[in-house]
Amino acid sequence: CPAPSDLRAPNGTRICAQLYADNSPYYDQCCAGAVLVVDPGADVPYMPRGWAARASSLVVGSRCELTVWSRSGKRGKSRRFGA
């Protein structure tokens, strides 16, 4: 997985978080498969098509916090992740 301080777009802008579709019990094989990029300041009450219950790994960038909910529309239990 990339280090939290390494989350950058190809043009050099900061990325707040990356969610990955594939996971593994072996750390060196985590953070694989399709990637969902979360930009700083993004407010997404619904997961994009094809991502519901799919994310298995995530990395949150430095100085960012990612809050997720157990149900769509920001309902249910929430959990916060940081770098």
Side-chain angles (χ1 to χ4, degrees), residues 2-80:
S5 60
D6 292 339
L7 289 185
R8 300 253 176 221
N11 65 3
T13 59
R14 192 167 67 96
I15 293 173
C16 199
Q18 287 186 171
L19 286 73
Y20 299 88
D22 296 343
N23 194 5
S24 172
Y26 302 103
Y27 184 77
D28 62 337
Q29 296 175 15
C30 289
C31 300
V35 177
L36 177 63
V37 173
V38 180
D39 294 319
D43 184 10
V44 184
Y46 298 94
M47 290 295 283
R49 185 176 187 91
W51 276 92
R54 185 170 179 204
S56 62
S57 302
L58 63 90
V59 176
V60 178
S62 302
R63 298 172 305 170
C64 280
E65 185 177 87
L66 177 70
T67 303
V68 297
W69 287 265
S70 61
R71 297 181 60 210
S72 63
K74 296 183 179 181
R75 293 180 304 190
K77 295 181 181 180
S78 66
R79 180 153 182 201
R80 293 181 184 192

